[in-house]
Amino acid sequence: MRRGNSLRTFEAFGNRSYRLLWPANFLAYICRWMQLTLLGWLVLELTDSPFSVALVGFFGMLPLLILGMVGGVLADRVNKHRILVMTQVISCVAAFAMVLLLKTGAIRFWHAYVVMGCTGVGWALDMPSRRSAIHDLVGRAGVTNAIAMDSVGMQASRMIGPALAGVLITTVDVVGGYIVVSAIYVVAVALIAAVNLPPADRSHLGLSNVLSNLVEGFQYVRRDNVLVATVLVTILMNLLLFPYAQMIPVIARDVLLIGPGLMGTLLGAEGLGALFGAICVASIGVIRFHGRLYIGGSMLGLIMLLGFSMVRWYYVALPVLFVLGFGTSGFSTMQSTLVMLRSGEEMRGRALGVISLAIGAGPLGALMVGAIASMSSTPFAIGLDAVMGIVLLSLIALLMPSLWRQPMVSDEQVPKVD
């Protein structure tokens, strides 16, 4: 008998360690979105510069561009559990340092860049291990559902994190917000430490150096058209769509004429849409054409971004961002799923490392949107990104049809217990 959608949605939680890993990831995602919102508002208040605000996202994502592939190599060669614990500790220490700077009054706007850079290093090094660990826990058959559930947590954090940060700025200022961030990180570290990952056989990897492993990762991806197309769409979305989030403090204050509390609900609306979309994906039984969800969700997000660039009223912006988030959930859920289904076990971490490197296009996108916003206007910069994204995504879909034509399924069963 087929299980109902409600049971299928939570299928991956049959694994005990996944039940610990999921909330740990969820709390880490919340902290990241809270930090982007808190520091974006802080830098805007200190500098009154859209470009300076964009640099918050730039320094947060820059480590992915520099270290993304290194994180992939580590996922294949080093104990994943140790990587996850150490990187969360790095982020926790950075948050405590920001609390100290704010409490002593020694804060300067550039401190936000340093803190986001440290947090970004943690994300760059652990992102491939985080996703690869999910595969290790639930197996190939369960990976689509497990990644979809992880995406549910990620998208929910995009709703909760900015909204919570906005409320905290209004009630207890940025310093109070960072105290909350630090406390959440402590809980996330404790949960990660309790996860029991199955041991991996790395004897076949030998003692080859890191550089050769990086080259192998690129060569492996280059030989597969689906992986190449997945990487190209990842670059496009991180370069042209997601940097708009760095401009939300500017849009909120200067275009929609609202304060920090309502500013948080803007990104919260996107997160709510993304959460709803991720739940829908997790509830689907067997997905044959993952690439169609990937392309379709990306296109919907870009179209809504173009619409958002034209909005001048807060209550119109909310539903537009809701639909934008719904679209991006298809992109976010299928991105890692496609890579893990197409990659062999011995190369999975390095293939995910290439994806992390592609996500590293985000800081370049943040610089671009910030520079254009400073020279013209923030809505124009966002709209230009959207138009370029729609055109380029259409070209990728036309020139690389294997991404959405080839089905990927598995007959394996999802493990129910450790």
Side-chain angles (χ1 to χ4, degrees):
M1 180 180 297
R2 290 174 61 86
R3 285 167 291 182
N5 283 349
S6 59
L7 292 177
R8 189 180 299 120
T9 301
F10 300 101
E11 195 169 25
F13 286 98
N15 184 286
R16 176 184 174 277
S17 288
Y18 185 81
R19 292 198 299 271
L20 292 172
L21 182 63
W22 188 90
N25 288 348
F26 175 54
L27 292 177
Y29 297 146
I30 285 180
C31 287
R32 182 169 179 81
W33 281 102
M34 286 185 68
Q35 287 180 281
L36 284 170
T37 306
L38 291 166
L39 295 179
W41 187 262
L42 176 67
V43 171
L44 182 63
E45 290 290 288
L46 293 176
T47 67
D48 198 34
S49 166
F51 184 74
S52 297
V53 173
L55 288 177
V56 174
F58 171 81
F59 283 103
M61 299 291 289
L62 183 62
L64 281 170
L65 184 62
I66 300 173
L67 299 173
M69 276 298 297
V70 175
V73 172
L74 291 176
D76 283 336
R77 296 174 58 85
V78 180
N79 184 292
K80 295 187 186 75
H81 187 255
R82 191 174 302 163
I83 294 173
L84 294 175
V85 172
M86 290 181 63
T87 52
Q88 286 303 295
V89 169
I90 291 172
S91 297
C92 187
V93 171
F96 276 115
M98 178 55 75
V99 170
L100 183 62
L101 290 169
L102 289 165
K103 291 287 285 185
T104 59
I107 191 70
R108 300 292 183 270
F109 77 92
W110 57 267
H111 290 152
Y113 306 150
V114 176
V115 170
M116 282 307 302
C118 292
T119 303
V121 167
W123 277 90
L125 294 179
D126 83 353
M127 186 178 293
S129 292
R130 191 183 298 272
R131 289 299 171 89
S132 185
I134 292 174
H135 186 283
D136 292 347
L137 291 175
V138 303
R140 177 180 172 84
V143 72
T144 298
N145 176 260
I147 290 294
M149 288 308 302
D150 190 66
S151 184
V152 167
M154 181 184 296
Q155 311 310 345
S157 74
R158 290 166 62 182
M159 175 182 62
I160 297 170
L164 179 59
V167 171
L168 290 171
I169 293 172
T170 303
T171 56
V172 292
D173 206 1
V174 175
V175 61
Y178 249 98
I179 291 173
V180 173
V181 168
S182 301
I184 294 175
Y185 266 132
V186 171
V187 178
V189 170
L191 287 170
I192 285 285
V195 172
N196 181 28
L197 284 176
D201 179 15
R202 294 184 173 84
S203 59
H204 62 282
L205 292 175
L207 298 175
S208 57
N209 60 49
V210 172
L211 180 60
S212 66
N213 278 266
L214 294 175
V215 173
E216 286 175 7
F218 280 113
Q219 291 176 339
Y220 183 80
V221 170
R222 184 174 57 84
R223 289 193 295 266
D224 189 306
N225 286 337
V226 172
L227 290 180
V228 171
T230 303
V231 169
L232 289 177
V233 175
T234 298
I235 292 172
L236 184 152
M237 293 290 282
N238 283 277
L239 185 68
L240 298 175
L241 187 143
F242 293 116
Y244 93 92
Q246 316 306 321
M247 296 289 99
I248 286 294
V250 183
I251 291 286
R253 193 191 69 173
D254 298 342
V255 178
L256 302 178
L257 307 178
I258 58 176
L262 293 179
M263 174 197 70
T265 62
L266 282 178
L267 283 172
E270 184 210 350
L272 180 61
L275 173 62
F276 183 71
I279 292 174
C280 289
V281 174
S283 300
I284 299 174
V286 176
I287 299 175
R288 288 180 56 83
F289 295 96
H290 298 73
R292 295 180 184 180
L293 277 176
Y294 189 57
I295 291 287
S298 301
M299 182 61 75
L300 179 59
L302 288 164
I303 292 171
M304 288 300 102
L305 182 65
L306 180 60
F308 179 66
S309 71
M310 303 175 185
V311 170
R312 298 296 180 270
W313 299 280
Y314 172 73
Y315 290 105
V316 177
L318 288 176
V320 170
L321 287 180
F322 176 88
V323 180
L324 187 155
F326 184 83
T328 58
S329 67
F331 164 82
S332 301
T333 304
M334 292 299 108
Q335 179 191 64
S336 296
T337 303
L338 281 164
V339 174
M340 284 190 277
L341 290 177
R342 296 288 294 190
S343 305
E345 180 180 355
E346 72 282 357
M347 295 297 296
R348 188 172 297 122
R350 275 163 281 186
L352 288 168
V354 176
I355 286 292
S356 295
L357 186 65
I359 295 173
L364 303 179
L367 282 183
M368 184 170 68
V369 74
I372 296 173
S374 296
M375 293 185 292
S376 55
S377 70
T378 302
F380 175 80
I382 292 175
L384 182 62
D385 275 1
V387 171
M388 290 191 296
I390 291 169
V391 172
L392 292 174
L393 182 61
S394 300
L395 289 174
I396 292 173
L398 288 172
L399 298 176
M400 310 187 79
S402 58
L403 176 61
W404 51 273
R405 283 183 179 173
Q406 292 188 12
M408 279 171 281
V409 295
S410 172
D411 295 328
E412 297 175 23
Q413 298 299 313
V414 181
K416 296 299 184 297
V417 295
D418 290 355

